Amino acid sequence: MAGTMQKRGRGRRVTGILALAFILVGLYFALIEAPPDAYQGEVQRIMYVHIPSILTAYLSFFIVFIGSCLFLWKREKRDDILARSAAEIGVLFTSLTIIEGSIWGKPTWGVWWTWDARLTLTAILLLIFVGYLMLRSLIEDENRGAVCSAVVGVIGFLDIPLIHMSVYWWRTLHQPPSILRPDKLPWENVHPSMLIALAVNFAAFILLYFYLLSLRFRVGEMEEEVKTLKLYGGAS
Amino acid sequence: MSAWGFVFLAYGIVWFALLVYLGNVKRRFRKVERELSSLRSSGGLKKNA
Amino acid sequence: MELLKQTLWVLWKDLLLELRRRESILAMFFFGTLLLFVFHFAFEIPAEKAAEMAPGLLWLAFLFTGTLGLTQLFQAERENHCLDALLLSPMDRASLYLAKVFFNLFLMLLIELVVFPLFWVLFNLAFWNLLPSLFLVAFLGTIGFCVLGTLFSAVTLKARARELLLPLILFPLMIPVILATVRGMEIILRTGKFEEAFSWLRLLIGFDVIFFTVGFLIFEWVIEA
């Protein structure tokens, strides 16, 4: 038991150090090495954090889903802690995605907010995450709270493709295509350092995410242990 | 605000928030670790007593 | 089958209770009508725009009215430990889910049947011939609402501030239904043809089927928690 804890701790530290390395390299590529975009100028650099952020947010939601499913099926505390941790970090990354998107939008579209499909979808994702966490905090019984928020986690995830479809249809049927087409990612004629910047930052975010998740998960596990010890006394 | 201004604003917020969260989690980690070790040691004492 | 019998039995109980006290249905009906009045004061709706805004306003009214119904949905079971009694019986939990879904659906449909024409009269709309198609779209949307709403009504049953929490959790998940219903109705009002709204209707039906199945399977765990 102690052996796996140590191995996990070591793995976590390695992930953390790798994350830091990739973050620093990523920052270099994003801010210095990569050239400014032909149409959007320097502002396009925000994409190097925006795209990894949104992907990490969706990854987080997927983990909430998996944790919730496992918990509903097997009722092991560990899965609930995983879901809870992923939800917390997911809220963080989703909020950041929205803020980044908004900051990018101001110089590009001239407005801080627009109801385009991507921003709207991210906002909805945030609302579902928040609902998950609020439900948890407002239900007093621990176990019931875990089951009920797991239901939100499962249904929320299943709903996402439907929400995606409906929001995209709604936007494409009503919004005239914008002149700049800033949503299009031009994959041809792209300077290689832009791709590298994106890839490195993406790796950095994923590593950072798993580092944070593993840390938060460990905290959750230990808090559970504390609770058990206080309840029953004596060593575990 | 200039283009770079927006870039630094975005990057600044992102990394600031992530650092704050990381600090938060680490603080919780240390606190619960302390609590756990104190409970364990006192628990051991109770068992022996 | 046994499941159907149990469902009908619980449904019959709820309908009978409602028939005698008429708490939910009256409150919901008056609330829905009140919302229409408030909309009239809140939004300056010129005659030309009334048809455009009708689907959105109507669906908003139904959404809030329906939420009112949802918070009341398990009220009878909460009093006097009725829920515990039900759970102690060998009744299939899913039949409780089905009964509650149908009950809420029944209430909402009744109200929609009245509020739809009322809206038409209050806002001086034409297109009376389109009402059946519009109602069909609303019916599909209402199913989606009841299916998820009943599940989350049970989920928030023992939570604090559940009147706030229920819409907070439910509404984001309802967005496909809201979009599909309102857009579908809008298309029908604009083009007069039912076929144009088919893609939205397919989405609605898909939503209803998926979450009816999920709710049916998951409800048991929720209600026993």
Side-chain angles (χ1 to χ4, degrees):
Chain A
M1 185 64 199
T4 38
M5 283 301 132
Q6 278 177 340
K7 259 195 257 167
R8 262 211 260 155
R10 212 177 12 234
R12 185 169 50 235
R13 266 188 295 276
V14 168
T15 313
I17 296 174
L18 272 177
L20 184 60
F22 270 85
I23 289 171
L24 292 171
V25 174
L27 275 174
Y28 167 72
F29 268 98
L31 296 174
I32 301 173
E33 184 67 26
D37 182 73
Y39 298 110
Q40 297 170 35
E42 309 287 355
V43 178
Q44 184 266 345
R45 296 181 192 275
I46 298 182
M47 283 295 141
Y48 298 124
V49 279
H50 184 63
I51 295 177
S53 295
I54 193 169
L55 291 171
T56 316
Y58 275 101
L59 171 66
S60 214
F61 205 88
F62 181 65
I63 295 180
V64 172
F65 173 66
I66 297 290
S68 298
C69 283
L70 284 172
F71 180 71
L72 284 175
W73 180 29
K74 291 199 169 141
R75 300 300 163 100
E76 277 186 43
K77 214 55 177 119
R78 189 182 46 185
D79 300 317
D80 176 53
I81 299 175
L82 178 65
R84 203 191 319 162
S85 312
E88 215 177 87
I89 304 180
V91 165
L92 177 65
F93 277 93
T94 314
S95 312
L96 287 178
T97 309
I98 296 177
I99 294 174
E100 293 155 7
S102 177
I103 296 179
W104 177 84
K106 181 69 174 123
T108 317
W109 291 325
V111 289
W112 287 108
W113 180 266
T114 172
W115 290 98
D116 89 307
R118 204 163 13 139
L119 269 178
T120 310
L121 282 168
T122 318
I124 297 174
L125 190 67
L126 182 64
L127 287 172
I128 302 180
F129 266 133
V130 167
Y132 176 95
L133 290 173
M134 286 213 73
L135 181 65
R136 258 226 122 81
S137 65
L138 286 171
I139 294 186
E140 277 150 9
D141 186 310
E142 274 266 341
N143 197 48
R144 189 180 295 136
V147 172
C148 290
S149 43
V151 170
V152 175
V154 170
I155 296 203
F157 185 78
L158 293 174
D159 206 3
I160 286 192
L162 291 166
I163 299 176
H164 245 98
M165 267 198 286
S166 53
V167 173
Y168 264 97
W169 282 356
W170 170 54
R171 287 292 88 183
T172 51
L173 290 175
H174 284 251
Q175 203 88 303
S178 47
I179 306 163
L180 263 149
R181 304 238 31 193
D183 289 60
K184 199 170 80 162
L185 272 173
W187 287 118
E188 63 292 329
N189 299 332
V190 169
H191 197 279
S193 19
M194 289 173 101
L195 286 175
I196 298 177
L198 195 60
V200 173
N201 274 292
F202 180 64
F205 267 72
I206 296 286
L207 286 166
L208 178 64
Y209 174 75
F210 280 114
Y211 175 69
L212 287 172
L213 184 65
S214 129
L215 201 61
R216 175 68 185 82
F217 180 74
R218 186 76 195 110
V219 169
E221 269 187 332
M222 291 199 284
E223 284 175 350
E224 265 311 304
E225 216 180 318
V226 166
K227 237 180 278 183
T228 325
L229 281 178
K230 280 188 177 161
L231 218 56
Y232 299 115
S236 55
Chain B
M1 192 158 46
S2 73
W4 275 111
F6 282 106
V7 175
F8 284 126
L9 179 65
Y11 275 76
I13 293 179
V14 169
W15 294 114
F16 178 72
L18 286 172
L19 275 170
V20 166
Y21 183 72
L22 180 63
N24 200 306
V25 177
K26 283 209 148 151
R27 194 166 35 92
R28 258 174 98 173
F29 189 92
R30 282 193 290 268
K31 171 167 168 255
V32 91
E33 217 174 17
R34 258 180 291 134
E35 237 185 301
L36 201 58
S37 56
S38 84
L39 271 174
R40 279 213 184 112
S41 55
S42 70
L45 279 171
K46 254 195 244 164
K47 258 176 85 177
N48 293 333
Chain C
M1 329 152 13
E2 193 57 36
L3 184 68
L4 202 60
K5 270 207 301 213
Q6 289 171 357
T7 308
L8 286 174
W9 179 81
V10 180
L11 183 59
W12 178 243
K13 162 187 80 78
D14 280 327
L15 285 173
L16 211 59
L17 271 173
E18 191 55 38
L19 198 68
R20 288 191 188 144
R21 285 159 55 181
R22 288 183 280 266
E23 284 177 349
S24 294
I25 189 97
L26 282 180
M28 284 166 75
F29 172 67
F30 281 121
F31 186 64
T33 316
L34 179 65
L35 278 177
L36 290 187
F37 270 83
V38 172
F39 288 157
H40 195 264
F41 297 127
F43 304 104
E44 281 292 352
I45 307 176
E48 329 81 66
K49 295 221 130 196
E52 248 180 75
M53 299 183 69
L57 292 174
L58 263 174
W59 195 242
L60 256 185
F62 292 148
L63 216 68
F64 288 125
T65 311
T67 309
L68 200 68
L70 283 178
T71 47
Q72 291 293 99
L73 196 58
F74 288 93
Q75 198 53 39
E77 277 73 21
R78 289 172 84 185
E79 294 167 5
N80 295 321
H81 299 287
C82 284
L83 189 60
D84 298 326
L86 271 174
L87 291 176
L88 279 171
S89 78
M91 190 179 75
D92 195 332
R93 314 303 186 219
S95 55
L96 183 60
Y97 175 69
L98 286 176
K100 291 296 179 182
V101 169
F102 286 136
F103 179 65
N104 207 43
L105 188 63
F106 178 71
L107 285 183
M108 285 192 76
L109 287 179
L110 268 183
I111 290 170
E112 284 171 23
L113 269 173
V114 177
V115 171
F116 248 109
L118 193 63
F119 187 93
W120 245 244
V121 166
L122 282 176
F123 288 84
N124 281 318
L125 291 172
F127 314 116
W128 284 90
N129 56 317
L130 290 173
L131 268 183
S133 333
L134 291 174
F135 194 79
L136 179 63
V137 180
F139 174 66
L140 290 173
T142 312
I143 293 179
F145 179 79
C146 290
V147 155
L148 263 192
T150 305
L151 183 65
F152 284 109
S153 181
V155 164
T156 57
L157 202 56
K158 309 250 174 78
R160 298 201 303 272
R162 82 179 281 253
E163 287 76 20
L164 290 173
L165 195 59
L166 179 56
L168 179 65
I169 297 183
L170 184 62
F171 284 7
L173 299 171
M174 286 290 297
I175 283 176
V177 172
I178 299 174
L179 274 175
T181 314
V182 175
R183 295 297 150 241
M185 290 204 279
E186 208 179 59
I187 291 177
I188 292 177
L189 272 175
R190 204 167 12 106
T191 64
K193 283 191 288 230
F194 199 61
E195 298 76 44
E196 310 259 334
F198 263 179
S199 44
W200 286 116
L201 289 183
R202 262 186 311 208
L203 183 68
L204 263 180
I205 295 176
F207 186 94
D208 293 345
V209 170
I210 292 174
F211 288 111
F212 179 71
T213 317
V214 173
F216 187 83
L217 295 171
I218 285 192
F219 184 78
E220 172 174 357
W221 287 328
V222 173
I223 203 76
E224 288 185 351

